[in-house]
Structure formats: structure tokens, C-alpha cells
Amino acid sequence: MQKGSLLFLLHPNFLMAHASPILLLFLLLSLQVIAQENETNIIKPGSSLYPRKHPSSWASSSGHFEFGFYPQGSGFSVGIWLVGQPENTIVWTANRGDPPVSSNATLVFTGQGGLLLQTENGKENLIVDVRESVDSASMLDTGNFVFFQNRSVVWESFDSPTDTILGGQNLSTNYNLTSSVSRSNHSTGQYYLIMQGDGNLVAYVRSAAVDTRDAYWATNTYGSSLSRLYLNERGRLLLYAYPEERGLANSSQIGDKTVITYRATLDPDGVFRIYSHQFESNISSNGTKEWQNLNDLCDVKGNCGLNSYCSSRNNDVECYCYPGFTFINENRKFLGCSQNFTLDGCEARKDLVMHYNFTTLENMDWVGSGYSLMNMNEEDCKKACEEDCYCGGALYSRSSGSCTRYSLPLIYGKRRGDISTTAFIKLILGSTPTIPPPQSPTLIDEGNQRLISTMGLSLGSVSCLCFVIAISSFLIYRHRMQSYRKLLENKNSGFTEQFTLRSFSFSELDKATDGFKDELGRGSFGVVYKGILPGDKDSKTVAVKKLEKVKEGEREFRTEMAVIGRTNHRNLVRLLGFCVEGSRKLLVYEYLSNGSLANFLFNTSESPNWKERARIALDVAKGILYLHEECEVCIIHCNIKPQNILLDDSMTAKISDFGLAKLLRPNQTSISGIIGTAGHLAPEWQRNASLSVKADVYSFGVILLEIICCRSSIDVEVSNADEILLSTWVYNCFAAGELNQLVGGEEVDLRMLERFVKVGLWCIQDDPTLRPLVKNVTLMLEGKMDVPVPPFPSLSHVTY
Ligand SMILES: *[C@@H]1O[C@H](CO)[C@@H](O)[C@H](O)[C@H]1NC(C)=O
Ligand SMILES: *[C@@H]1O[C@H](CO)[C@@H](O)[C@H](O)[C@H]1NC(C)=O
Ligand SMILES: *[C@@H]1O[C@H](CO)[C@@H](O)[C@H](O)[C@H]1NC(C)=O
Ligand SMILES: *[C@@H]1O[C@H](CO)[C@@H](O)[C@H](O)[C@H]1NC(C)=O
Ligand SMILES: *[C@@H]1O[C@H](CO)[C@@H](O)[C@H](O)[C@H]1NC(C)=O
Ligand SMILES: *[C@@H]1O[C@H](CO)[C@@H](O)[C@H](O)[C@H]1NC(C)=O
Ligand SMILES: *[C@@H]1O[C@H](CO)[C@@H](O)[C@H](O)[C@H]1NC(C)=O
Ligand SMILES: *[C@@H]1O[C@H](CO)[C@@H](O)[C@H](O)[C@H]1NC(C)=O
Ligand SMILES: *[C@@H]1O[C@H](CO)[C@@H](O)[C@H](O)[C@H]1NC(C)=O
Ligand SMILES: *[C@@H]1O[C@H](CO)[C@@H](O)[C@H](O)[C@H]1NC(C)=O
Ligand SMILES: *[C@@H]1O[C@H](CO)[C@@H](O)[C@H](O)[C@H]1NC(C)=O
């Protein structure tokens, strides 16, 4: 029986089906949706469509929707449209990246696979690939084009939306709407709106690197990995981010759903709008706007290029260059601006004295790459930017007195009356040569290098370090300038920025922590201190971690920080910034007021209640799920334990210290020495085997059992020797059917308790392959997936 359950878990089909929640959802939907065929409207294999000959489309039974060829540019594309007078509204396009085809093309519905597009020169392209045999297709009255096999739906256009969802359609987790190029060109455009795995619906400007700075609108909802956006038949837009359900918008049109259809479209300008279409009237075939997510087009990023800013008037955007910059192309202002003077290495040019001037622009804001935030007065802010050769401009907030310096290019600038920050733009007036340097200019490269290295040695380690820092800053700067140039050539390419975090100086952190006085705790990576940063409105309490034993060089360190900085999840402690000055490396995290999970579970006199504990366990699982599967680079934590799970003031659990294991690991063998938290480490650490995400699953399993029982994994102060090891005790209680012993008689939901215990026991299996993936762990904890009966966790009965 147990073996059978195991085989089920390991069966490739099982793993495949659960490898992606979308696939799962898709399967469920396919099974649930029963054929809504209308016999009069069935398309049989062998039917064809032609751009200029009859039939050129297949209509739905009401005649409101059609599927077929529609004109695009000088050719035709295949898609679905809402029939209108005088114009149709395209709501879906097949293979939108492909160029339009000529009027000689033919679309054939084949029983084997889907829709085959044949073009004049004999080319064939399967544009809708159903991947199985189908016996009919239909254009439904909802605007959904579906394929049937034996009366059940095997493919539907609702499952692969382009820029629109129609009334009755979902946008499921990890699906996105991508805008069209323009109202007449339905190729992939500049913006996308994605239903993220963390429950947040976010609009981004498309760029090479997914960066939170490219986001311009979000619902800021957080929920399970099975969230969805839904437009109902009455034009109401709903977001289900389990357990939260939020109405985002209502439509005012009321009427019979057979005469009104709603659609929600991410328009070519990046704004997400709901439209209603009334079939019985000719008021507006383009639809009546019911709602939009943004009122100012300048809030949509990317309308104006680099070094330019956006200002809107009456629904029209205008791009302006910052003073001292000129348009790259006067006729295509959205491409951005450039300065005809290059800094050309800045500090490296010792032979030149640069002359600057500043212009002040009120009500300005931009995103850019801010690298220094300090409190000072206005004059000092300008001065700081002038003396800093990497500074291209600064944003100053008069209310808080904070000055942020930015390097070029300045991106996503906007100017609007209600913006309270003021911008100082640095203007390069020119340069004059300095008095010739003392060394003879005849000394060339090799000699110079020798000279520099001798000087470096004699000046001691401090200046040597400064030199290294200067060189690396220069390299970073060069890298930026290069990506900037690349960008100028192609507006659609992305910003390959390295930093999204704030970089602090050591003295700033020294001051913030009052000389590293208030110690919050000691971890495997160093000591953590409480600090207070002066902020915009009120000061912010932070936790500053002084890293020890970090062997990594500055460059690698910054790369690692960039990876950590891109993580953003409700159940992860947010990294706010860092400081790297020579060998000193510090991290600045958000401060969480309720201490660690270890404290919460083991050190309080009255044990926390079951409901709260269960919620915390799920929080931790979601944090790990994000690290393993949902962030850009998969992060194996390697050191999850109750001491580095922190609780915020609403008792939400957040994982800390992730992404650091990599910095500390000179080789794998010594890590257990460094970390040394027996109990939570997967057995493969001791076996020196290679590590996978399953190591974190093991740690999670131990923590889950600790959360259930409110005791540590190893406890010698127990009445019975069998209870010393938590895992053995839990298994014995489970096998004996005495689960209530584990919670000390507390009133709990017994079915939930049993589920949690079983999941915990699966996670702590000695054999990593037996442990479930954390995605399945969350599904099982939430009760959305059955949990088989676990075997005894250890291969050989453990003896420590
Ligand atoms: C099928 O289509 C016909 C004509 O288009 C319509 O009159 C009928 O109501 C439809 N039947 C169903 C079940 O939708
Ligand atoms: C549509 O836009 C794409 C991308 O900008 C472009 O390559 C294509 O030529 C355009 N098509 C038409 C018909 O204008
Ligand atoms: C379509 O085919 C006809 C006959 O083969 C040819 O004369 C015509 O140029 C083709 N049209 C296009 C747009 O390729
Ligand atoms: C079609 O489905 C019905 C019931 O859903 C089933 O009895 C029948 O065997 C199926 N036919 C084929 C050819 O799969
Ligand atoms: C939308 O999702 C919900 C929940 O998963 C499902 O019940 C409903 O049938 C879906 N609607 C469509 C049209 O797929
Ligand atoms: C958006 O969806 C399309 C089609 O499913 C996919 O090709 C594209 O990669 C998605 N984009 C993002 C950013 O997820
Ligand atoms: C939409 O209408 C419902 C009730 O009709 C109301 O409760 C809700 O607040 C409205 N939502 C929005 C976003 O206006
Ligand atoms: C809508 O326009 C079409 C063609 O322009 C016309 O035939 C029809 O009568 C109009 N319908 C209404 C309700 O005005
Ligand atoms: C629909 O939109 C197109 C493109 O924006 C515009 O040219 C046309 O006049 C609009 N038609 C109506 C009836 O508003
Ligand atoms: C920059 O452009 C201005 C005006 O176009 C011109 O007078 C000036 O010489 C240019 N400077 C450089 C360094 O090219
Ligand atoms: C510097 O800018 C100010 C105001 O923008 C202007 O009045 C002044 O003439 C400029 N100075 C130089 C040397 O260009």
C-alpha cells in the first residue's frame, strides 16, 4: 500500500502534471468544460477559409463573433473579431509575431492537430496546434473558438489570450495580456499585464530584464499560486487572489448580455481598459469605454525614451529633452535624447577641468539608477552632484530634505503638477585643459602601469583599495554607457541595470546604527544590528547585518546582491540595500518587529494558537516556493531554520538570509561547518552529495513539525527517551493514531493536523527523491492535493 503511494508520487505523469499549475488548471478546465456545441454551427475537418473568397470566416451562431482572415497591413492575419459597423474589433490573433500572409493563402482545418495555414509558395504552418486529434471546432457566442474531440473541449482560444479578455474569460496565473503595436497592427507591442504567481496583477513595459522598475501599475494583491483575473458577463472585473477576492472595476452599461458584450484590453498605449459593445445600435463600433486603470498616460512607462521626460495634456503625451540634451531624432521624439558631449571616462581625464551648470526643473520625477540617497540642503545637493562625476542629475525633496543622485541615462521621467520633487540636471558646458601633469607625457602604457603599481604599493592598502573601487566603478559606468548606447539604437530593448538596491556608505550605516550598538541577533553570516535611517516622511527602522567570512570579491558580491534585490515576495524579508567598502560588507534589511519564529515557538510561556501556526507554516512554504520556482534565478536557501524566519507586526512569516549561501561557499564540504545547525540540515549535507531544492524541502519539513508541536527538533528535556527526536516521536504518534498528543490536547482541526503531519513526514524523508517539490507541499497543505501515507522518514532507524 505504501509502496503503491510512492510509485504514484514518482510516476512521471504525476510529476509532469504537477510541474506547472497552469497545466493542471488547463487539464481541470478541459475536463470540466462540457461541449456547448450548437449543431448548426459545427465546423468539420476539411473545411477551409480564404482571405478574398467565400468563406473567409466562420461566424458564431449569433453572428457577433467571427473567426477567420482579417486584413492587416497589405496582407491578412488570422484571428477572432467582434463584428461591428463600420469596423470590426480584433480580440484575438493567431501567431501574432508572424508577418501577414497574402491573399492567396488558405486556412485548412485538419482533424490531426488543428489549423494549417498554407501560403502561396507551398509553405505550411500549423497556426493552432492542438496536439491531438479533433473531430470538430466551433466559434462560440462568447467569442471563444474551441476544438472538440468526442464532445469535450481540447483547445480553446480563451486559454491563450493576446491583448484582450472577453466577458466570461479568465486570465490565469502566469498568463499575460500583451498590447498590440497599434490599433491597426496587432503584432506584439510594448506592454504586458501579467497575473503573477504571487497573486499580484502587474503591468510592465517590455524590456530585456524583468525589473520592478519597469512596472507601472499593480493591484498589490498577494495570494496563492492559483490566482486569476476574471471579467464577468456583466462587465465586472474581478481579481481572485485566494483567499482574497477583489472587485477592480464595474461597468455602467446594463442590459441583456446577448446585446452587450464586454472586453478588457491592454491597449497599445499601455492602459488597461474595459469597453462595452452594443450590437443593436451603431453608436460606436469601437466600443464605449467603461473603465481604465490609469488616467495619466505619463504614468505608463516607456512613452518617452532615455534622458527625456513625459508631460501630458488632454490625453496626449509629449516628450521633452532635459536641458542640455537634444532629440536623437526630431521626428521620432519618443526615441529619447542625448547630450552631444560625452563624459569620456570622467575621472580618468586628469588633463581636463570640466565646467558644469545646473538647471532646476520643478515637479519632476524619474526612475533611473539612483545610487546615493542623503539628507542635505538644496545647495549641497547640487554641489554633491557637481563634484561627483558619475552624477547626471539629482532629485531633491524639499519636504524631507533628501537628495538622490542618479547617473545617466535618466529613465522614465515625468513632470506633473502634483509631483513634489525637484530635479537638478547637470549640464556640461565644456572643458579646459589643466596644467600639464608632472610626469613626462612620453611615458607610455607599460611604464605607466609600473609607475601606478609602485605608487599603489607605497601608498599602502587604503589608497590601493580606493584605486580598485575607482576602477570597478569605472567599469560599471562603462558597462552602463554601453547598454545605454545599445538602447539608443532600439527603443524596445531593455535596461540591463545592475542595481535596484540602495547603496550605502559605511559611515551612513555607522551613524544609522549609532556605532553598531543595538545587537538584534547573531547568525551564521554575522551580527545583526538595529538601525534607524532618516527617510522621506518619517524615519525607517532597519536591520543591518555585518557580514563575516564573505570571501567573494566586490563584483561577485554586487551580482549576488542584484539577484537578491530582485526578489520581492510577501514571505521574504526585503533587502533594502547594501554597503561594500573594501572588505566591509553589510546588508540592510527591513526590520521586523516580532522577532524570529524560534522565539515565537520555543520561548513564549503560552504557546501560540494552532490557526496562527498553520498560517505561518503556509507562509514559509510560499516563501520557499517563490525562491525555488517563481523568481528569476532559482535560489536554494540552504539554511532554513526557525531562527531566520522572522515575523512582522501582523505575524506574517518572512524568510531571511536567502541567497547568501552562495557567497559563503568556497566548497561544499565546509558549509556544514559554517552553518552548523544540525536538526534542519538535510542528510545529504553529511553525505557530501550534491544539493538540490530538496535540501530546503527537508528543512521545511523539520520546521513544519516544529510548528505543529511547538518544540525543537531535538529536545533532551522530555519525559521519554523516544521523544528526544521530534521526527521519531511524530512518526510514532502518527502510526499509533494519536496525533492529538502532538498538540498537547489543544483543540485543533484534526483533518488539517493529519494533513500537516503527513506532509511534514514526506518532506523529511532521507531520500531526497521521495520528498515532494515545494509546489506540491503548498497544494497539499492547502488541501488541494491528496497526501499519501508517508513511510518512516529514515532509511535506517536513526541513531545520532
Ligand atoms: C443554435 O443556433 C441557432 C441559430 O443560430 C439558434 O437559434 C439556437 O438558439 C442555438 N442553439 C443553442 C442551444 O445555442
Ligand atoms: C507591425 O509592427 C511590427 C513591429 O513594430 C512591424 O515589424 C510590422 O511591420 C508592422 N506591420 C504592419 C503591417 O505595419
Ligand atoms: C496569387 O496567385 C496568382 C496566381 O498564381 C498570382 O498571379 C498572384 O500574383 C498571387 N498573388 C499574390 C499576392 O501573391
Ligand atoms: C466518447 O465519450 C463517451 C462518453 O463520454 C464514451 O462512452 C465514448 O466511448 C467516447 N468515444 C470515443 C470514440 O472516445
Ligand atoms: C474561470 O476560472 C474559474 C475557476 O478556475 C472556472 O470555474 C471557470 O470555468 C473559468 N472560466 C472559463 C471561461 O474558463
Ligand atoms: C506572455 O504570454 C505569451 C504567450 O503566452 C508568452 O509568449 C510570453 O512569453 C509571455 N510574456 C511574459 C513576460 O510572461
Ligand atoms: C462594483 O459594484 C459592487 C456592487 O454592485 C460594489 O460592491 C463594488 O464596490 C463596486 N466595485 C467598484 C470597483 O466600483
Ligand atoms: C447600423 O448601420 C447599418 C449599416 O450602416 C444599418 O444597415 C443599420 O440599419 C444600422 N442599425 C441601426 C440600429 O441604426
Ligand atoms: C474607431 O477607431 C479607429 C482607430 O482609432 C478610428 O479611426 C475610427 O474613427 C473609430 N470609429 C468609431 C466609430 O469611433
Ligand atoms: C553641441 O551642440 C551644439 C549645438 O548643436 C554645438 O554648438 C556644439 O559645438 C556641440 N558640442 C560638441 C562638443 O559637439
Ligand atoms: C547657468 O544656468 C543659469 C540658469 O539656468 C544661467 O542663468 C547661467 O547663465 C548659466 N551659466 C552659464 C555659465 O552658462
Side-chain angles (χ1 to χ4, degrees), residues 161 174 179 184 213 270 289 318 339 349 426 471 495 512 548:
N174 293 334
S179 66
S184 56
R213 289 181 322 177
K289 189 179 83 191
E318 188 78 53
Q339 230 169 350
R349 297 291 299 270
K426 193 184 207 170
I471 293 286
F495 304 101
E548 296 160 2

Side-chain angles (χ1 to χ4, degrees), residues 38 52 85 139 189 219 320 331 363 454 464 527 548 550 593 634 643 660 705 734 800:
N38 185 331
R52 287 248 168 87
Q85 279 294 338
M139 180 71 244
T219 53
Y320 300 91
N331 301 319
N363 312 117
T454 335
C464 180
V527 187
E548 296 160 2
V550 172
S593 55
C634 165
Q643 287 76 12
L660 297 181
L705 298 182
F734 171 71
Y800 268 72

Side-chain angles (χ1 to χ4, degrees), residues 102-104 120:
S102 83
S103 56
N104 283 347
E120 64 272 13

